[in-house]
Amino acid sequence: MKKHLFSPDSLFTDMLRLRAICSFSWRVLRFRPFGCEPLISQMDKCTNEEQLFDLIEENKAIISEEEVGCAFNILWQFQKQKTGLLKSVEYIRNHPQFLTLYHLTTNKMEFMNDDNLVNVLYQIQQFAVESHDPLVEALVTEAWRRLERFDMNVLAKFSTCLADQHLHFSPLMGKIADIVSRNLETIQDLRSLSVLMVSISSLTSQRFQEQLVKKTELLFDTIDSSQVNIARRIVQFLRNIKYSYYPLLERCNKVFLSNVNDLDLDFISKIFSLYHSLQFHNFEFILITKKRLTEMIPLFDQPATFVKLFVVLGPVAGPEEKKQLESTILLMSEELTSQQALAVIGAMEEMESRNLRLIKKIASILHKNLENYKPVELLKITQALIVLHFQSKEFFVKLRELLLRWIHYGHVYPDNTTGKQLKLLQKLDHYGHQRLQKYNNLNSLCEELKSLKGDWFSESLLEETVATLQRLVDEINYTNVAGIAYFISRTNYLNTLLLDKIASVVLQQIEKIHPFAIFAIILPFSTLNYDPPQRDEFFGTCIQHLNSYLSLLDPLRIVFLGFFLATLEYFPEDLLKTIFNIKFLSRLDSQLEILYSTLNRKVQFRLMELNRAVCLECPEYQIPWFHDRFCQQLYNKDIGSLNGAQQQIYKMLAEVLGGTNCVKASVLTPYYHPIDFECILDKRKKPLPYGSHNITSGKLPEMHWESNTQIVGSRLPPGAERIALEFLDLRAFCRNIPHLKGKSAMKKRHLEILGYRVIQIPHLEWNSMALSTKNARMDYLRERIFGDGKS
């Protein structure tokens, strides 16, 4: 009889030999019937969880560690295909066979390979097993033990597991950051690197951040253009480290644009949020995703998803889309949770919604849930309802009560909220001064300055902050120059040392500065009306650096840039011909459609001001004036009666000039510059009376135009002069010195070009002790108008 090839003796001997070679294989094969289909193949054929759980129950005595990992993986794949994820996850987690897999993992984790171990940890966490669960802790400990041998893919997934447990600052995450730092030069997989960058971002030094950004740039071309998740993680990393690095942002943005039809609501919402945090505005992205989001409006009928769509689309939607969004959210308003209502009211604030019915409905939901909101949320609600012009005494009384609960009265001021607030401000002022004096790193200071807002800071700590910036002035370089410039422009504080340093850094390091940063750099010079040394070289270098990017910039940014430069009497011809071009203005119109109304009006007004400046100061460019209709709509309104101070000044001027028919109030000049008061003196400095058309009630006079530059019938006798009197409040001057700011200086130039002698009266002079009596003010006006103290 022929001996069977697989006799029991030989099979047993072979398996013993196999066990000696590889204990892992032995555990897989020891009790598996030889002719059966492998269990992993059977798992792969399962079409639902119940089939998989049946397999686990039937084979739990012989399941290997590899099959445990496969089972978890298949379970998670089933979950990702489902809606109502939370309910499904809870059902799976409580299933008896899930508990079987749990115990099998506990017993077999030390035999799992690295990839399987970390995958199991990741998938267990996706089923909402708590981070303090013994199995999760054991898996993390086992992974920590193997950490140094992990390849980058496994290390990346493990870092995600730790991040999901909020262990961003843990020693273990620090160890991962160290491994990445030591191996950065050899890493060639941007997918793994991008995951690691997001996970370790909280533990990276500035030098390490720069190395990671440089490595990302080197590897970016190695990825397929469809890799939107890699691009998203790169943007998320930049947001985490608060670094608006435009070259990478632009490249990531191109990836998003080329795959926009594949982006879902959650992804687009995330990118909008990241871009907002980074102050990265891309008109093309907004326009294309707006179209994509608009297509989604009919697809969502559940509050959770529709609220998310409302929040992201609402602020950029056109009139028709807004109407559709508001009507739909109104229909499902009864189903909104307190947090969904909060999100909706925030979006309505950005939309500047005037849908009174919807405002009242959302406000009623907020009112019911006021006691459940955190203090910061109450402040958001207050701001939103004020912007939306919502009025309800009952609502605001309750809101005020909740905010005062929040303040917590102290012992010194038990019944005095104002006193308590004053004491708090004094403490903040004290600690603020202490911190400023201790700063020895400019970049750390800049990070804190980004978040500071409000007049309290400006009044209390500004001097100390500027002194600290001066102390650290040598640390200004290409990486922080735009941030410093933007901060200075916000403060209205003129410090020539800092501005000169900014100009010097730009001239020396322009090649390292991204063109998009030029806007922030030019802004303080424009706002504060300051020309640095080598003025023309500085502005010329900035514009030359930006020229090649003009086609990539949002139209509104180019308009603002042109206006900034115009206030400084700098009119680059190429830039202006780019702006005053039919194709460009059509692009601008398209962008205006997606801007909320306040910004829309601001952009249109800046374009008008730029058009006016070019027509008056650069007639040789032959750019036409095309804002007559806009200005007539803007100014063709009753501006109301003169206020008390204006009435008082008007009467004084009438006395000084010899009658009310010798002075005009609220005058519009050619090109629509409004001026407070106007009068005319003949060649002997004698006031000339106006005709009976003079209006003194505060209403705008009728305007008659001839060639856009002269008022019909306004030709003056030989030697006569037209005088414009402007009363300037504190907004016209720098905060720290009486230096005229950019817009006021430009207006003075324009009035002089139009033939006026301009008398600007600063509020500090008019309200000074020296002019505290009527007679002193009358003498002051005579001196300014006639120059000799006599009428």
Side-chain angles (χ1 to χ4, degrees):
M1 182 177 177
K2 189 177 180 180
K3 189 176 180 180
H4 196 279
L5 182 62
F6 294 109
S7 67
D9 290 342
S10 64
L11 182 60
F12 185 70
T13 303
D14 289 342
M15 293 192 77
L16 282 177
R17 188 180 299 116
L18 247 157
R19 183 179 183 183
I21 297 170
C22 180
S23 61
F24 167 75
S25 299
W26 161 244
R27 289 190 306 276
V28 174
L29 297 172
R30 57 183 170 174
F31 297 117
R32 189 67 42 79
F34 198 83
C36 292
E37 182 181 15
L39 187 56
I40 287 179
S41 298
Q42 296 179 60
M43 289 179 178
D44 286 337
K45 291 180 180 179
C46 293
T47 58
N48 57 57
E49 295 91 338
E50 295 304 330
Q51 290 180 8
L52 183 63
F53 283 144
D54 288 344
L55 270 180
I56 293 168
E57 185 175 16
E58 293 168 7
N59 296 276
K60 58 187 176 185
I62 58 171
I63 289 180
S64 69
E65 60 272 12
E66 182 183 5
E67 289 157 350
V68 169
C70 179
F72 274 119
N73 184 55
I74 291 172
L75 279 175
W76 180 236
Q77 295 307 317
F78 286 147
Q79 297 314 300
K80 290 198 294 185
Q81 298 168 11
K82 295 186 175 183
T83 57
L85 188 61
L86 185 61
K87 181 179 179 181
S88 183
V89 163
E90 187 176 353
Y91 167 75
I92 296 299
R93 194 176 64 242
N94 294 329
H95 196 284
Q97 299 313 315
F98 187 86
L99 188 61
T100 298
L101 287 174
Y102 180 101
H103 291 310
L104 285 168
T105 303
T106 303
N107 296 330
K108 298 177 182 289
M109 73 172 70
E110 64 179 294
F111 304 113
M112 290 180 174
N113 63 37
D114 298 343
D115 189 48
N116 199 12
L117 178 81
V118 172
N119 276 332
V120 168
L121 172 62
Y122 176 80
Q123 284 145 6
I124 284 178
Q125 288 184 198
Q126 302 313 304
F127 286 105
V129 177
E130 297 289 346
S131 58
H132 54 74
D133 183 273
L135 176 57
V136 173
E137 292 180 344
L139 286 166
V140 170
T141 302
E142 179 64 21
W144 193 341
R145 188 176 65 81
R146 307 182 189 186
L147 198 62
E148 286 288 350
R149 79 186 197 200
F150 281 172
D151 66 32
M152 286 300 154
N153 284 323
V154 174
L155 192 67
K157 179 163 279 190
F158 183 51
S159 74
T160 300
C161 295
L162 298 180
D164 289 344
Q165 295 183 37
H166 308 291
L167 296 175
H168 301 89
F169 297 96
S170 66
L172 183 49
M173 192 71 86
K175 183 65 175 174
I176 293 174
D178 178 62
I179 293 172
V180 175
S181 179
R182 285 189 277 115
N183 293 275
L184 188 58
E185 288 188 10
T186 61
I187 296 175
Q188 296 301 317
D189 178 20
L190 186 54
R191 190 202 69 79
S192 299
L193 180 61
S194 65
V195 173
L196 287 162
M197 286 163 57
V198 172
S199 299
I200 67 174
S201 55
S202 300
L203 300 175
T204 53
S205 65
Q206 184 180 348
R207 181 172 175 273
F208 190 20
Q209 290 168 5
E210 291 172 357
Q211 291 173 335
L212 289 168
V213 167
K214 187 176 180 180
K215 184 69 176 183
T216 302
E217 287 189 286
L218 290 173
L219 294 178
F220 202 94
D221 291 331
T222 66
I223 65 169
D224 186 87
S225 60
S226 64
Q227 296 294 323
V228 292
N229 285 319
I230 294 177
R232 174 186 55 79
R233 285 191 291 268
I234 292 169
V235 176
Q236 189 171 344
F237 169 72
L238 293 173
R239 191 280 307 272
N240 288 357
I241 65 172
K242 301 176 182 177
Y243 184 22
S244 297
Y245 186 63
Y246 292 114
L248 266 183
L249 287 171
E250 288 171 356
R251 296 174 81 174
C252 292
N253 192 67
K254 287 179 182 177
V255 173
F256 301 143
L257 290 175
S258 62
N259 295 277
V260 71
N261 291 329
D262 300 320
L263 305 184
D264 61 17
L265 174 59
D266 286 336
F267 194 99
I268 294 172
S269 176
K270 180 70 173 177
I271 300 304
F272 264 82
S273 175
L274 292 173
Y275 279 3
H276 179 76
S277 298
L278 288 164
Q279 293 294 294
F280 179 73
H281 307 286
N282 184 270
F283 168 54
E284 190 178 2
F285 178 78
I286 294 174
L287 199 62
I288 291 177
T289 51
K290 174 197 168 188
K291 182 175 181 295
R292 172 86 174 127
L293 292 167
T294 302
E295 294 167 353
M296 296 180 187
I297 293 178
L299 304 180
F300 301 119
D301 56 3
Q302 295 299 314
T305 48
F306 195 83
V307 165
K308 186 173 289 187
L309 178 65
F310 186 91
V311 169
V312 68
L313 177 57
V316 298
E320 287 302 315
E321 293 90 358
K322 283 183 180 179
K323 186 176 180 181
Q324 195 174 355
L325 288 168
E326 290 179 334
S327 61
T328 305
I329 205 75
L330 184 62
L331 289 174
M332 56 178 65
S333 58
E334 293 293 341
E335 304 173 57
L336 297 181
T337 66
S338 59
Q339 286 301 310
Q340 288 167 351
L342 180 64
V344 169
I345 203 70
M348 291 175 69
E349 177 191 359
E350 284 192 66
M351 296 160 64
E352 298 178 339
S353 174
R354 292 297 175 260
N355 187 321
L356 296 179
R357 187 180 173 195
L358 180 60
I359 293 171
K360 288 179 180 178
K361 186 62 183 177
I362 300 301
S364 70
I365 300 171
L366 297 171
H367 195 177
K368 292 175 187 175
N369 294 280
L370 276 181
E371 294 183 355
N372 300 324
Y373 291 115
K374 299 173 184 176
V376 68
E377 293 171 334
L378 292 175
L379 292 174
K380 289 179 180 178
I381 290 170
T382 305
Q383 177 178 307
L385 292 178
I386 290 172
V387 170
L388 295 173
H389 306 302
F390 175 73
Q391 295 181 346
S392 169
K393 182 178 180 181
E394 181 186 2
F395 187 101
F396 283 109
V397 165
K398 185 173 181 181
L399 195 57
R400 181 176 180 274
E401 289 174 356
L402 290 170
L403 289 171
L404 294 175
R405 194 171 305 148
W406 177 40
I407 291 174
H408 296 302
Y409 296 138
H411 297 292
V412 181
Y413 305 100
D415 299 310
N416 187 341
T417 303
T418 303
K420 178 65 177 175
Q421 292 170 334
L422 179 61
K423 186 179 180 184
L424 177 61
L425 288 176
Q426 288 171 343
K427 284 186 177 180
L428 288 171
D429 182 74
H430 173 72
Y431 292 130
H433 277 87
Q434 281 190 335
R435 290 192 66 168
L436 285 167
Q437 290 164 6
K438 292 177 181 177
Y439 270 112
N440 56 13
N441 181 279
L442 183 58
N443 289 327
S444 299
L445 174 60
C446 290
E447 282 305 315
E448 294 218 13
L449 293 180
K450 287 179 184 177
S451 61
L452 291 175
K453 296 178 181 178
D455 291 336
W456 160 78
F457 166 75
S458 299
E459 297 296 337
S460 181
L461 294 176
L462 184 55
E463 291 280 350
E464 189 72 41
T465 304
V466 172
T468 304
L469 289 171
Q470 282 191 243
R471 177 165 53 83
L472 302 172
V473 70
D474 290 335
E475 294 185 30
I476 298 178
N477 57 39
Y478 71 94
T479 65
N480 55 34
V481 65
I484 298 295
Y486 180 67
F487 170 75
I488 292 172
S489 66
R490 285 169 53 201
T491 64
N492 290 323
Y493 192 103
L494 179 57
N495 182 285
T496 58
L497 175 67
L498 291 174
L499 291 177
D500 289 349
K501 179 63 176 180
I502 288 170
S504 173
V505 167
V506 170
L507 288 173
Q508 293 169 15
Q509 304 181 28
I510 188 65
E511 295 304 323
K512 296 180 180 179
I513 298 171
H514 194 278
F516 286 5
I518 296 299
F519 297 94
I521 288 169
I522 288 178
L523 185 57
F525 297 92
S526 167
T527 302
L528 302 174
N529 186 31
Y530 178 71
D531 286 337
Q534 300 174 293
R535 169 192 188 273
D536 291 340
E537 183 185 359
F538 169 65
F539 293 129
T541 298
C542 288
I543 297 306
Q544 185 178 359
H545 192 53
L546 194 59
N547 274 341
S548 61
Y549 275 76
L550 287 179
S551 62
L552 302 176
L553 294 173
D554 287 357
L556 72 88
R557 293 173 72 87
I558 298 178
V559 169
F560 282 129
L561 176 65
F563 172 76
F564 296 158
L565 294 169
T567 62
L568 292 158
E569 296 183 81
Y570 195 83
F571 297 93
E573 188 172 2
D574 289 344
L575 177 66
L576 294 172
K577 288 188 174 179
T578 295
I579 295 173
F580 295 105
N581 172 283
I582 295 297
K583 185 177 179 181
F584 174 87
L585 293 174
S586 297
R587 284 186 67 217
L588 180 63
D589 283 340
S590 298
Q591 187 171 19
L592 290 174
E593 291 177 5
I594 64 175
L595 299 179
Y596 55 90
S597 57
T598 301
L599 182 55
N600 183 309
R601 290 191 296 269
K602 185 176 181 179
V603 174
Q604 291 190 65
F605 193 76
R606 287 288 181 263
L607 180 65
M608 180 277 288
E609 290 182 300
L610 177 58
N611 187 198
R612 175 170 63 197
V614 174
C615 289
L616 286 171
E617 301 191 61
C618 301
E620 67 275 14
Y621 289 169
Q622 297 185 328
I623 291 173
W625 166 252
F626 56 92
H627 278 90
D628 263 336
R629 182 179 296 178
F630 173 81
C631 290
Q632 286 164 7
Q633 291 174 345
L634 186 67
Y635 291 111
N636 190 23
K637 298 175 182 177
D638 187 336
I639 61 172
S641 302
L642 297 176
N643 62 38
Q646 290 170 326
Q647 288 280 10
Q648 184 186 47
I649 294 167
Y650 177 76
K651 290 176 181 178
M652 289 184 190
L653 285 169
E655 286 187 51
V656 168
L657 294 166
T660 57
N661 63 339
C662 292
V663 60
K664 273 189 174 183
S666 301
V667 176
L668 275 182
T669 73
Y671 292 104
Y672 299 89
H673 264 306
I675 55 178
D676 295 332
F677 301 99
E678 180 191 273
C679 65
I680 300 172
L681 303 183
D682 64 17
K683 62 182 179 181
R684 296 183 300 275
K685 293 194 174 182
K686 181 179 179 181
L688 294 177
Y690 289 94
S692 59
H693 65 274
N694 183 34
I695 296 176
T696 60
S697 66
K699 293 184 179 180
L700 294 178
E702 289 184 21
M703 305 305 297
H704 302 283
W705 305 97
E706 182 180 273
S707 303
N708 292 325
T709 56
Q710 288 189 339
I711 300 176
V712 173
S714 66
R715 196 165 297 165
L716 300 179
E721 63 176 352
R722 196 184 302 274
I723 298 174
L725 290 101
E726 286 277 279
F727 285 78
L728 304 180
D729 62 18
L730 58 86
R731 293 171 296 179
F733 298 95
C734 297
R735 183 181 294 272
N736 54 320
I737 58 174
H739 176 76
L740 207 59
K741 286 165 60 179
K743 282 194 66 175
S744 298
M746 181 168 69
K747 181 176 181 179
K748 185 173 187 291
R749 291 198 310 271
H750 290 179
L751 293 177
E752 289 170 345
I753 291 171
L754 290 168
Y756 283 94
R757 173 160 70 92
V758 182
I759 299 174
Q760 293 181 321
I761 301 176
H763 70 102
L764 289 175
E765 288 186 21
W766 187 251
N767 295 314
S768 66
M769 288 297 295
L771 300 182
S772 58
T773 65
K774 179 182 177 183
N775 287 338
R777 287 181 168 179
M778 296 276 284
D779 289 339
Y780 175 84
L781 291 173
R782 289 191 187 95
E783 176 65 30
R784 295 299 304 273
I785 295 171
F786 302 110
D788 58 3
K790 297 179 181 178
S791 61

